[in-house]
Amino acid sequence: MASRNLNQAPVRQWHRISAHSAHHPRLLELGFLPLENVRVLQRSWFKRGALVVQVGDAVFGLRPDEASQIEVHAHSEVLVDLAAA
Amino acid sequence: MSETKVDISGLAQRRLALLGNPNCGKTALFNRLTGSQQKVANYAGVTVELKRGLMKTATGRSVTVIDLPGTYSLNPSSQDETVACAMVLGQSLREKAPDLTAVVIDATRLRRGLRLVAALKRLGVPMVVLVNMMDRVRSQGREFDVARLQAALGVPVIEATGISTHGTDALRQLLDQNGLWQQARPDIATVRPDTGTARTDDAQAQTWLQASALDQPMGDHEWSRRLDGWLLQPVTGVLVLLVLLFLIFQAVFAWAAWPMGLIEGATGWVSASVDALLPAGLLKSLLIDGVIAGLGGVVIFLPQILILFFFILVMEESGYLPRAALLLDRLMGSLGLSGRAFIPLLSSFACAIPGIMAARTISDRRTKWVTVFIAPLMTCSARLPVYTLLIGAFIPAKTVYGMSLPGLVLFGLYVMGIVSAIAVAWVLKLWRGAGEPVQLMMELPDYHLPRIKDLAIGLWQRASIFLRNVGGIILSLTVILWFLSTFPQAPVGFTGSPIEYSFAGRIGQTLAGFFAPIGFNWQIVVALIPGLAAREVMVAALGTVYALSQTGDEVGAALGPLIAQDWTLATGLSLLIWFVFAPQCLATLAVVRKEMGGWAMPVGMAVFLFGLAYAASWVTYRLALNLGGF
């Protein structure tokens, strides 16, 4: 199952935070918990501009370096993985 | 909070803390519970604000309610969160722990609210849970069984909406149960932050949600997302933000002019009345130039502060402020600042005082520090009378490439302020850059219409904080500067102007040698001293030094030709540049001390800006002398 970081995730596509994602503890406190649903809502036109990210019911602004710490799987991939199991 | 309102049953000593995630509607609920009986004070030793209020239970007993800063967990990562956690866990050395904690959770975002409940429950903190924003859940016709949630949690659960009395009434009844207040507090004074608890608390929250059949998404946040599609979009979002920033700038600058004119008029009228009533003498001089000028000098700031904070509160309450900060984040981020620094800096073009007060909205300590440090470099409106006088006297009214030269010079002075602020921020970033980069990780809450009552309470609090904390300082400074400019009084037959004989005059003449290398004559140095009360006072003070008989706006008109003849061009330019940088406003330094807590920052700032001003004026003076051959 291919994992990517949230900074690389395509806009609006739902992802799930991977169980062993090792991101900043503060992000955990904010609700970026393992297996939580997450998607990028908007991306800046600038490479270093902030992203708008939805996690569960809440929306956060994250810098690209903050988003890139979060390891995610696309939902479709999770389903394929479950089917295989 | 007045003493007479506290009843004798001792219940007012019962303290209820409101704790919750940011944006869960806690403060609206606090306003609802306490009405106008609130008091804002800084938490001991730091600049985090704690609001306290008095509420009545259903049987009319009083309870002190403390509105704690919002927090996501009990592992704090900002100063605000540290205060909230220390208070609720009873770890504060100076504040008694609350007897009961009401955890406010957003009904549309139960899971994260319940994570906080789980953390408190794990530590055994006595609590009740208030499920807020129930109207949003009900309006969608969703099932929400409060009794079942209460059974799962094992603590009292009340549903509430911050905008109606429903729920607050239920809380008032609940707080009459004596047993609630008599729960033993566990000894948690030594609990240390543990980041491993986020997962276990979340698992607990999910178990509760499943047990109470609430594990489906509760709210519809879709319309906020749709609005974000426009307001955070790179083109439309930036356009809306620019229009809004222009409106704020315009309002603080232009709309405030009318009430400020009224205040000036009123101050003038009171002065004239006192002038007519009292015989000439010291008392009259003290009243007019000390007390009335000082009070007028305090009140004059209120229109700008109120207008600016009106906009900030509307943006904050509606949920737009973090979005504006997000859009500006890249721009400010390159200077090591967060997007939140922009509005304080923009306001500082009107006056650094409301600007520095607006820096309260910045949670990151380093960003706040740099913002406050560079705010006085923005060209405030008090510099304009000085610039007008000096440009009028020294810059020929010529046209260069179709543009007026005086206008270009004025524009150049604004640009110089901005460029130097950028340079200072950049140097500070290099100097302090070794620390962690400023985090963004900022929540963008749902949009909602601000309530008039919450806005009114917020504005009232800002105004009273300013009058209480800063008003006294500005008034006393004005009286002290009056004293320095008046005593000792010149003897009969003294040929110079009376101010020459005063302490201010003597200090000025003593310092004249120090300022000679940058081209200032003793008259300028003497006038700079009363000018410390406010920059524009320098114009009137120069009029006094040159013993002009005119008053008010006429001083500038009469002074222009006089200084154009008396000073060299190099001196005029040097003084112009001095006013770009110099810490010529003691009121600003007083606000910095209040807002940042302690003298280190205002003293450091004054020394730095003074050095910068001296260096820049020296370069200007030397260049003008050598290049122009004046």
Side-chain angles (χ1 to χ4, degrees), chain A residues 4-60:
Chain A
R4 52 165 75 100
N5 71 52
L6 188 59
N7 193 28
Q8 301 160 336
V11 172
R12 298 228 149 234
Q13 192 184 335
W14 279 106
H15 286 67
R16 208 176 269 268
I17 299 178
S18 92
H20 46 80
S21 171
H23 45 266
H24 198 287
R26 171 71 178 163
L27 287 168
L28 281 177
E29 310 286 352
L30 295 180
F32 289 85
L33 288 152
L35 306 182
E36 180 63 285
N37 292 317
V38 66
R39 62 173 172 167
V40 175
L41 289 176
Q42 289 228 357
R43 207 181 279 281
S44 166
W45 283 358
F46 301 104
K47 202 171 156 222
R48 281 165 52 214
L51 288 83
V52 182
V53 169
Q54 180 175 2
V55 56
D57 273 341
V59 179
F60 287 89

Side-chain angles (χ1 to χ4, degrees), chain A residues 1 75-85:
Chain A
M1 188 167 62
H75 258 200
S76 51
E77 292 165 348
V78 177
L79 291 176
V80 168
D81 205 48
L82 280 176

Side-chain angles (χ1 to χ4, degrees), chain B residues 322-541:
Chain B
R323 271 121 180 142
L326 186 89
L327 287 170
L328 293 163
D329 187 65
R330 206 189 113 76
L331 182 72
M332 305 305 283
S334 54
L335 296 174
L337 295 171
S338 85
R340 298 225 172 200
F342 195 81
I343 287 161
L345 292 177
L346 183 79
S347 331
S348 298
F349 279 102
C351 174
I353 289 170
I356 289 166
M357 285 178 71
R360 276 170 184 252
T361 53
I362 305 173
S363 52
D364 175 68
R365 175 105 187 131
R366 188 170 62 169
T367 298
K368 185 173 166 184
W369 193 90
V370 178
T371 307
V372 169
F373 200 96
I374 61 177
L377 289 171
M378 303 294 146
T379 302
C380 67
S381 49
R383 284 174 171 96
L384 284 176
V386 182
Y387 285 171
T388 311
L389 170 72
L390 294 174
I391 289 177
F394 293 101
I395 308 296
K398 277 198 296 199
T399 308
V400 183
Y401 301 117
M403 287 172 285
S404 113
L405 185 60
L408 277 178
V409 170
L410 186 63
F411 180 73
L413 292 168
Y414 270 86
V415 172
M416 193 178 285
I418 297 169
V419 169
S420 60
I422 291 175
V424 171
W426 189 72
V427 169
L428 289 173
K429 184 188 167 190
L430 287 187
W431 176 42
R432 297 170 62 114
E436 278 226 344
V438 181
Q439 288 177 353
L440 184 63
M441 300 188 199
M442 180 172 58
E443 186 171 4
L444 308 174
D446 283 347
Y447 292 99
H448 62 95
L449 278 179
R451 287 176 61 229
I452 304 285
K453 194 177 171 192
D454 293 335
L455 290 180
I457 291 178
L459 273 182
W460 168 246
Q461 283 168 349
R462 288 277 81 81
S464 53
I465 285 171
F466 171 75
L467 290 177
R468 200 176 54 227
N469 286 357
V470 188
I473 302 175
I474 298 180
L475 178 61
S476 8
L477 281 176
T478 315
V479 173
I480 291 170
L481 289 171
W482 167 83
F483 179 83
L484 288 178
S485 316
T486 311
F487 292 98
Q489 290 188 291
V492 185
F494 183 71
T495 49
S497 73
I499 195 173
E500 263 182 82
Y501 198 81
S502 71
F503 289 119
R506 292 169 198 209
I507 296 170
Q509 285 170 31
T510 314
L511 288 176
F514 179 73
F515 283 99
I518 59 172
F520 292 4
N521 56 27
W522 69 263
Q523 287 94 335
I524 296 177
V525 184
V526 171
L528 284 179
I529 295 171
L532 286 169
R535 290 181 174 86
E536 73 271 21
V537 174
M538 158 88 182
V539 176

